[in-house]
Amino acid sequence: MKRFIRIITNRNFILLLAIVLGLSIKNIGSWIKYFTIPALAIVMIVSLAQVSLKEFLSFKKIIKPVLYMIFFNYIVFGLVMLLMAWFLLDDRQLWTGFVILAAAPPGVAIAPFAYIIGADEKFSIIGMVGAYLASMAIIPLAGIIFIGKNFARPLDLLIVFIELIIAPMVISQLLVRFRLEKYILKWRGAIVNWGLFIVIFAVISLNRNILFKDIKSLLIISLISLVSIFGLWLLVNFLLKKIGFKTGLRKSMVLAVTVKNSGFAAATALALFGEKASLPAAVSSIFLI
């Protein structure tokens, strides 16, 4: 029984299952996309319940990690990804998907990964949460610059922000305030993984025909994802070693430059721009696994 529980709560098993089922099941119907936002909202609540926003009362303590996270996650990662997409793709929907992915906040996986690999955990978490708040300004700005003034209706964008950033933060802090987070944090991994299962399964299944028929686009998206994640990991890690960054801080920067919230990007692109625009985030998540 314990072995079975370990399997069904294993991140790699769950997300690979989402990919396999998404590719295997035909005619899933567009209704599945309506489950992505609620699933991701639950993931966000559980992930943010480990952080108290009291940490953000001291400006001096938060400014450095937040600026580092914004620089590596949005500017370095985002520009590398968008430059490659600009030169290699001529599909507007896929370009829109890459813009949303580049402007999406850092992945919530940064927090547990920071603990696992011995990064500066507090630095990573503060930077991640600060970058989430910054994303509400960065996403519209990136959309206007790279897509156009009418890239999304303001009300639709506001609703997404409320559902995926503002409401989860408020609910998570209520859980922390009333000390209820301890009841869900022990199941955090399973809740996060199965929530992401719904998002990835929906995106893969809705793009099933494109994945099988447009092999060229799939290969280009895969190449961009490979370079953006593994290429930047190797390059940034090498450069920060040469500069002399302390080990914990260097590992935090490597996480910042490689871990995007592809679930957020996929759900946002799916809600605002349609199935095809969500494909870059879905493929990126496969490489991230």
Side-chain angles (χ1 to χ4, degrees):
M1 187 64 182
K2 289 182 179 179
R3 187 178 179 184
F4 174 73
I5 292 173
R6 280 200 301 269
I7 292 173
I8 64 170
T9 56
N10 180 273
R11 177 185 177 87
N12 292 340
F13 169 77
I14 292 169
L15 298 186
L16 288 173
L17 180 66
I19 295 165
V20 171
L21 291 179
L23 292 172
S24 303
I25 300 175
K26 298 180 180 179
N27 303 320
I28 192 67
S30 60
W31 55 269
I32 188 68
K33 68 182 181 183
Y34 298 111
F35 288 87
T36 59
I37 295 289
L40 195 62
I42 292 171
V43 168
M44 297 295 293
I45 291 168
V46 174
S47 299
L48 294 171
Q50 64 183 315
V51 182
S52 173
L53 292 187
K54 289 181 180 178
E55 299 281 358
F56 288 80
L57 295 178
S58 173
F59 182 77
K60 288 183 178 180
K61 288 183 179 179
I62 69 169
I63 187 63
K64 186 177 178 181
V66 171
L67 288 179
Y68 266 120
M69 186 68 70
I70 289 173
F71 174 74
F72 281 104
N73 197 265
Y74 291 112
I75 298 175
V76 177
F77 182 97
L79 287 181
V80 168
M81 174 172 280
L82 290 180
L83 278 172
M84 293 187 69
W86 176 265
F87 285 110
L88 296 176
L89 287 170
D90 57 4
D91 186 295
R92 184 165 178 79
Q93 277 192 294
L94 292 178
W95 167 252
T96 299
F98 272 112
V99 172
I100 296 299
L101 179 57
V108 291
I110 283 178
F113 285 170
Y115 171 76
I116 291 167
I117 69 171
D120 188 325
E121 194 175 0
K122 188 174 182 179
F123 190 96
S124 293
I125 292 174
I126 290 174
M128 179 194 74
V129 176
Y132 262 91
L133 294 171
S135 70
M136 289 189 285
I138 291 171
I139 291 174
L141 185 62
I144 291 169
I145 293 172
F146 296 110
I147 300 173
K149 292 181 179 179
N150 300 318
F151 88 103
R153 292 187 301 177
L155 180 60
D156 291 340
L157 203 55
L158 177 62
I159 290 171
V160 169
F161 286 156
I162 291 172
E163 291 174 329
L164 294 182
I165 297 178
I166 299 171
M169 279 191 167
V170 171
I171 295 171
S172 69
Q173 292 310 296
L174 287 173
L175 292 173
V176 172
R177 173 68 179 81
F178 293 104
R179 298 181 180 179
L180 298 174
E181 80 281 4
K182 59 186 177 182
Y183 297 107
I184 62 171
L185 286 182
K186 63 179 179 179
W187 298 105
R188 181 184 64 189
I191 295 170
V192 168
N193 292 337
W194 282 106
L196 292 177
F197 169 91
I198 294 172
V199 176
I200 300 303
F201 170 71
V203 171
I204 294 292
S205 62
L206 290 170
N207 284 287
R208 187 175 180 276
N209 289 335
I210 298 172
L211 290 169
F212 283 123
K213 292 179 181 179
D214 193 354
I215 301 299
K216 181 183 176 182
S217 292
L218 178 60
L219 290 174
I220 292 173
I221 296 170
S222 298
L223 175 63
I224 295 170
S225 299
L226 181 68
V227 173
S228 300
I229 295 172
F230 290 96
L232 281 175
W233 159 48
L234 292 169
L235 179 61
V236 170
N237 190 50
F238 172 78
L239 291 176
L240 293 182
K241 269 187 177 180
K242 286 291 183 182
I243 294 170
F245 269 64
K246 291 181 180 179
T247 301
L249 188 58
R250 172 173 53 81
K251 290 180 178 181
S252 291
M253 297 304 98
V254 171
L255 287 175
V257 83
T258 54
V259 183
K260 273 286 185 183
N261 194 329
S262 50
F264 177 98
T268 301
L270 189 61
L272 297 178
F273 304 105
E275 289 89 348
K276 196 173 185 180
S278 66
L279 191 56
V283 175
S284 178
S285 68
I286 295 170
F287 283 88
L288 194 56
I289 293 169

